[in-house]
Amino acid sequence: MTPAGDVSSGGARTEVKVWADALQLFRAAADEFTRAAREAIAARGRFCVALAGGTTPRGAYALLAEDDARRPAQCLPWDKVHFFFGDERRVPPSNPDSNYRMAREALFARIAVPEANIHRIEAELEPKEAADQYQELLQTFFALGPGELPRFDLVLLGMGPDGHTASLFPGTQALDETSRLVVANWVERLRTFRITLTFPVLNHAAEVLFLVSGADKAEMLRNVLQGDSSGAVYPAQRVRPDAGRLLWYADGAAAARLADPVG
Ligand code: 6PG
C-alpha cells in the first residue's frame, strides 16, 4: 500500500497524501494513529487523541479494532490511551447520529479500553451546560492554568463539502472564539446547536490529521488546499497547528480536483 501521490501545500509542515481508495485511506489513518500513539506513550506515558465524527473515520476506527484482534501481541496499551471528541451533535449517546455512538460501535466496544479513558461530550445536556462541562473536563484532565490550552497528541478531523470541520461551520459564531476551549455553536443551516472544540485548541495540537473521502468533497478540498478565486477562507483552512504537524489524507475521489487550476 503506497500513497498515490504527495502534494505539498501551504508551508513546510502541511503534508497531503492521496490514497487510491477509501480502504487504503482508512488503513493509512489507522497506521498513523498507531504510530502517533506509540510515540506519545513512549515520550509521555499516555496518548491523548480527539476523535472526528461524521461517517468517514468509522472505517479507520474499525481497522484499529481489527488490528487489535488480529495482532494481540502488538496491540496498543489502551489503558494509556485517552479518547476525547472534537465535536458532538445535540443528541443522546444512544442516538444513531451520535459521534460517540459511532466510535463506540466501531472501536471502543471492541478493544480493552477502560471506560474512564473515554471522555465523551454529554451533548444530551443543555448546549451551554454541555460545552461548559466539557471545558471543565479538559481543564481538569490537562491540569490547565488560566488561559492555558490542552495539547492533544493527535486531533482527527473531517471536512464537509462546505469547508466546515469539527462543528466549526461557515458563518457561525464559534469561528471567532479566541479563548474558550469548547463552545455550543448554533448552526442555522442545520437549525441546531453543536458542541465543538475551538480553533485555539485545534491549533495547539501536536498533530492534526484530516481524513477526506468521496467525490462530493473534491471541489472544496481543492479550494481549501489551493485557495479559490473568491478569496473565501473556509473553516478547515484555519486549522494550522502553531507548533505541530498538519496532515491531509484523501482518497482519489476527494483528490480528483487537486490538479485543477484554481477556479
Ligand atoms: C460531525 C463531524 C464533521 C464531519 C464532517 C465530514 O460531527 O459531523 O465532526 O465535522 O467531520 O461533516 O463528515 P463525513 O465524514 O460524514 O463526510
Coordinates of all heavy atoms in Angstrom, one line a residue, residues 169-213:
F169 N -18.7 25.7 11.5 CA -19.3 25.8 10.2 C -19.2 27.3 9.7 O -19.1 28.2 10.5 CB -20.8 25.5 10.3 CG -21.1 24.0 10.4 CD1 -21.0 23.4 11.7 CD2 -21.5 23.3 9.3 CE1 -21.3 22.0 11.8 CE2 -21.8 21.9 9.4 CZ -21.7 21.3 10.7
P170 N -19.1 27.4 8.3 CA -19.1 28.8 7.8 C -20.2 29.7 8.4 O -21.3 29.2 8.6 CB -19.2 28.6 6.3 CG -18.8 27.2 6.0 CD -19.2 26.4 7.3
G171 N -19.8 30.9 8.7 CA -20.8 31.9 9.1 C -21.3 31.7 10.5 O -22.3 32.3 10.9
T172 N -20.7 30.8 11.3 CA -21.1 30.6 12.7 C -20.2 31.4 13.7 O -19.1 31.6 13.4 CB -21.2 29.1 13.1 OG1 -19.9 28.6 13.0 CG2 -22.1 28.4 12.1
Q173 N -20.8 31.6 14.9 CA -20.2 32.4 15.9 C -18.9 31.8 16.4 O -17.9 32.4 16.7 CB -21.1 32.6 17.1 CG -21.0 33.9 17.8 CD -22.1 34.0 18.9 OE1 -23.1 33.3 18.9 NE2 -21.8 34.9 19.9
A174 N -18.9 30.4 16.5 CA -17.7 29.7 17.1 C -16.4 30.0 16.3 O -15.3 29.9 16.8 CB -18.0 28.2 17.1
L175 N -16.5 30.5 15.0 CA -15.3 30.7 14.2 C -14.5 31.8 14.9 O -13.3 31.9 14.7 CB -15.7 31.1 12.8 CG -16.5 30.1 12.0 CD1 -16.8 30.7 10.6 CD2 -15.7 28.8 11.8
D176 N -15.2 32.7 15.6 CA -14.4 33.9 16.2 C -14.0 33.7 17.6 O -13.5 34.6 18.2 CB -15.3 35.1 16.0 CG -15.8 35.3 14.6 OD1 -15.0 35.1 13.7 OD2 -17.0 35.6 14.4
E177 N -14.2 32.5 18.1 CA -13.9 32.2 19.5 C -12.4 32.2 19.7 O -11.7 31.5 19.0 CB -14.5 30.9 20.0 CG -14.2 30.6 21.5 CD -14.7 31.7 22.4 OE1 -15.9 32.1 22.3 OE2 -13.9 32.2 23.2
T178 N -11.8 33.0 20.6 CA -10.4 33.0 20.8 C -9.9 32.6 22.2 O -8.7 32.4 22.4 CB -9.9 34.5 20.6 OG1 -10.6 35.3 21.5 CG2 -10.1 35.0 19.2
S179 N -10.8 32.4 23.1 CA -10.3 32.0 24.4 C -11.0 30.7 25.0 O -10.3 29.9 25.6 CB -10.6 33.1 25.4 OG -12.0 33.4 25.5
R180 N -12.3 30.5 24.7 CA -12.9 29.2 25.2 C -12.3 28.0 24.5 O -11.8 28.1 23.3 CB -14.4 29.3 25.0 CG -15.1 30.2 26.0 CD -16.6 29.9 25.9 NE -17.0 28.6 26.2 CZ -17.4 28.1 27.3 NH1 -17.5 28.9 28.4 NH2 -17.8 26.8 27.5
L181 N -12.3 26.9 25.2 CA -11.8 25.6 24.6 C -13.0 24.9 23.9 O -12.7 24.2 22.9 CB -11.3 24.7 25.8 CG -10.3 25.3 26.8 CD1 -9.9 24.3 27.8 CD2 -9.1 25.9 26.1
V182 N -14.2 25.0 24.4 CA -15.3 24.3 23.9 C -16.5 25.3 23.9 O -16.7 26.0 24.8 CB -15.7 23.1 24.8 CG1 -16.8 22.3 24.2 CG2 -14.5 22.3 25.2
V183 N -17.3 25.3 22.8 CA -18.5 26.1 22.7 C -19.7 25.4 22.2 O -19.5 24.3 21.5 CB -18.2 27.4 21.8 CG1 -17.2 28.3 22.4 CG2 -17.9 26.9 20.4
A184 N -20.8 25.9 22.6 CA -22.1 25.4 21.9 C -22.3 26.3 20.8 O -22.5 27.6 20.9 CB -23.2 25.5 23.0
N185 N -22.3 25.8 19.6 CA -22.3 26.6 18.4 C -23.7 26.4 17.6 O -24.0 25.3 17.3 CB -21.2 26.2 17.4 CG -20.9 27.2 16.3 OD1 -21.2 28.4 16.4 ND2 -20.4 26.7 15.2
W186 N -24.4 27.5 17.5 CA -25.7 27.4 16.8 C -25.4 27.4 15.3 O -24.7 28.2 14.7 CB -26.6 28.6 17.1 CG -27.9 28.6 16.2 CD1 -28.1 29.4 15.1 CD2 -29.0 27.7 16.4 NE1 -29.4 29.1 14.6 CE2 -29.9 28.1 15.3 CE3 -29.3 26.7 17.3 CZ2 -31.1 27.4 15.2 CZ3 -30.5 26.1 17.1 CH2 -31.4 26.4 16.1
V187 N -25.9 26.4 14.6 CA -25.7 26.2 13.1 C -27.1 26.4 12.4 O -27.9 25.5 12.4 CB -25.1 24.8 12.8 CG1 -24.8 24.7 11.3 CG2 -23.9 24.5 13.7
E188 N -27.2 27.6 11.9 CA -28.5 27.9 11.3 C -28.9 26.9 10.2 O -30.1 26.5 10.1 CB -28.5 29.4 10.7 CG -29.8 29.9 10.1 CD -30.9 29.9 11.2 OE1 -30.6 30.2 12.4 OE2 -32.1 29.7 10.8
R189 N -28.0 26.6 9.4 CA -28.3 25.6 8.3 C -28.9 24.3 8.8 O -29.7 23.7 8.1 CB -27.0 25.4 7.5 CG -27.1 24.5 6.3 CD -25.9 24.5 5.4 NE -24.7 23.8 6.0 CZ -24.5 22.5 6.1 NH1 -25.5 21.7 5.7 NH2 -23.5 22.0 6.6
L190 N -28.4 23.9 9.9 CA -28.9 22.6 10.5 C -30.0 22.9 11.6 O -30.6 21.9 12.1 CB -27.8 21.8 11.1 CG -26.6 21.5 10.2 CD1 -25.4 20.9 11.0 CD2 -27.0 20.6 9.1
R191 N -30.2 24.1 11.9 CA -31.2 24.5 12.9 C -31.0 23.7 14.2 O -31.9 23.2 14.8 CB -32.7 24.2 12.4 CG -33.1 24.9 11.1 CD -33.3 26.4 11.2 NE -34.3 26.7 12.3 CZ -34.3 27.9 12.9 NH1 -33.3 28.8 12.7 NH2 -35.1 28.1 13.9
T192 N -29.7 23.7 14.6 CA -29.4 23.0 15.9 C -28.1 23.5 16.4 O -27.3 24.3 15.8 CB -29.2 21.5 15.6 OG1 -29.1 20.8 16.9 CG2 -28.0 21.2 14.8
F193 N -27.9 23.2 17.7 CA -26.6 23.5 18.3 C -25.7 22.3 18.1 O -26.1 21.2 18.0 CB -26.7 23.7 19.8 CG -27.2 25.1 20.2 CD1 -28.5 25.4 20.5 CD2 -26.3 26.2 20.3 CE1 -28.9 26.7 20.9 CE2 -26.7 27.4 20.6 CZ -28.0 27.7 20.9
R194 N -24.4 22.6 18.0 CA -23.4 21.5 18.0 C -22.4 21.9 19.1 O -22.2 23.1 19.4 CB -22.6 21.5 16.7 CG -23.4 20.9 15.5 CD -23.5 19.4 15.5 NE -23.9 18.8 14.3 CZ -23.2 18.4 13.3 NH1 -21.9 18.6 13.4 NH2 -23.7 17.9 12.2
I195 N -21.8 21.0 19.8 CA -20.8 21.2 20.8 C -19.4 21.0 20.1 O -19.2 19.9 19.5 CB -20.9 20.3 22.0 CG1 -22.4 20.3 22.5 CG2 -20.0 20.7 23.1 CD1 -23.0 21.6 22.9
T196 N -18.5 21.9 20.1 CA -17.3 21.8 19.4 C -16.1 22.3 20.1 O -16.2 23.3 20.8 CB -17.4 22.4 18.0 OG1 -16.3 22.1 17.2 CG2 -17.6 23.9 18.1
L197 N -14.9 21.7 19.9 CA -13.7 22.3 20.2 C -13.5 23.5 19.4 O -14.0 23.6 18.3 CB -12.5 21.3 20.0 CG -12.5 20.0 20.9 CD1 -11.2 19.2 20.6 CD2 -12.6 20.3 22.3
T198 N -12.7 24.5 19.8 CA -12.5 25.7 19.1 C -11.1 25.7 18.4 O -10.3 24.9 18.6 CB -12.5 26.9 20.1 OG1 -11.4 26.7 21.1 CG2 -13.8 27.0 20.8
F199 N -10.9 26.7 17.5 CA -9.7 26.8 16.8 C -8.4 26.9 17.7 O -7.4 26.2 17.4 CB -9.7 28.0 15.8 CG -10.5 27.8 14.6 CD1 -11.4 28.7 14.2 CD2 -10.2 26.7 13.7 CE1 -12.2 28.6 13.0 CE2 -11.0 26.5 12.5 CZ -12.0 27.5 12.2
P200 N -8.5 27.7 18.8 CA -7.3 27.7 19.6 C -6.8 26.3 20.1 O -5.7 26.0 20.1 CB -7.7 28.6 20.8 CG -8.7 29.5 20.2 CD -9.5 28.7 19.2
V201 N -7.8 25.4 20.4 CA -7.5 24.1 20.9 C -7.0 23.2 19.7 O -5.9 22.6 19.8 CB -8.7 23.4 21.5 CG1 -8.4 21.9 21.8 CG2 -9.1 24.2 22.7
L202 N -7.7 23.3 18.6 CA -7.2 22.5 17.4 C -5.8 22.9 17.0 O -5.0 22.1 16.7 CB -8.2 22.7 16.2 CG -9.7 22.3 16.5 CD1 -10.5 22.6 15.2 CD2 -9.8 20.9 16.9
N203 N -5.5 24.2 17.0 CA -4.2 24.7 16.6 C -3.1 24.6 17.6 O -2.0 25.0 17.3 CB -4.4 26.1 16.1 CG -5.1 26.2 14.7 OD1 -5.0 25.3 13.9 ND2 -5.9 27.3 14.5
H204 N -3.5 24.0 18.8 CA -2.5 23.8 19.8 C -2.0 22.3 19.8 O -1.2 21.9 20.6 CB -3.0 24.2 21.2 CG -1.9 24.4 22.2 ND1 -0.9 25.3 22.0 CD2 -1.7 23.8 23.3 CE1 -0.1 25.3 23.0 NE2 -0.5 24.3 23.9
A205 N -2.6 21.5 18.9 CA -2.3 20.1 18.9 C -0.9 19.8 18.3 O -0.4 20.6 17.6 CB -3.3 19.4 18.0
A206 N -0.3 18.7 18.8 CA 1.0 18.2 18.3 C 0.8 17.7 16.8 O 1.8 17.9 16.0 CB 1.5 17.1 19.1
E207 N -0.4 17.2 16.5 CA -0.6 16.7 15.2 C -2.1 16.8 14.9 O -2.9 16.4 15.7 CB -0.1 15.3 15.0 CG -0.3 14.7 13.6 CD 0.3 13.3 13.4 OE1 1.4 13.1 13.9 OE2 -0.3 12.5 12.7
V208 N -2.4 17.2 13.7 CA -3.8 17.2 13.2 C -3.8 16.4 11.9 O -3.0 16.6 11.0 CB -4.3 18.7 12.9 CG1 -5.7 18.6 12.2 CG2 -4.4 19.5 14.2
L209 N -4.7 15.4 11.8 CA -4.9 14.6 10.7 C -6.3 14.7 10.1 O -7.2 14.3 10.8 CB -4.6 13.1 11.0 CG -4.8 12.1 9.9 CD1 -4.1 12.4 8.6 CD2 -4.5 10.7 10.5
F210 N -6.4 15.3 8.9 CA -7.7 15.4 8.2 C -7.9 14.1 7.4 O -7.0 13.7 6.7 CB -7.7 16.6 7.3 CG -8.1 17.9 7.9 CD1 -7.1 18.8 8.3 CD2 -9.4 18.3 8.0 CE1 -7.4 20.0 8.9 CE2 -9.7 19.6 8.5 CZ -8.7 20.4 9.0
L211 N -9.1 13.6 7.5 CA -9.5 12.4 6.6 C -10.6 12.9 5.7 O -11.7 13.3 6.2 CB -9.9 11.2 7.5 CG -9.0 10.8 8.6 CD1 -9.6 9.6 9.4 CD2 -7.6 10.4 8.0
V212 N -10.4 12.8 4.4 CA -11.3 13.3 3.5 C -11.6 12.3 2.4 O -10.6 11.8 1.7 CB -10.9 14.6 2.8 CG1 -12.0 15.2 2.0 CG2 -10.5 15.6 3.9
S213 N -12.8 11.8 2.2 CA -13.1 10.8 1.3 C -14.4 11.1 0.5 O -15.3 11.7 1.0 CB -13.4 9.5 2.0 OG -13.9 8.5 1.2

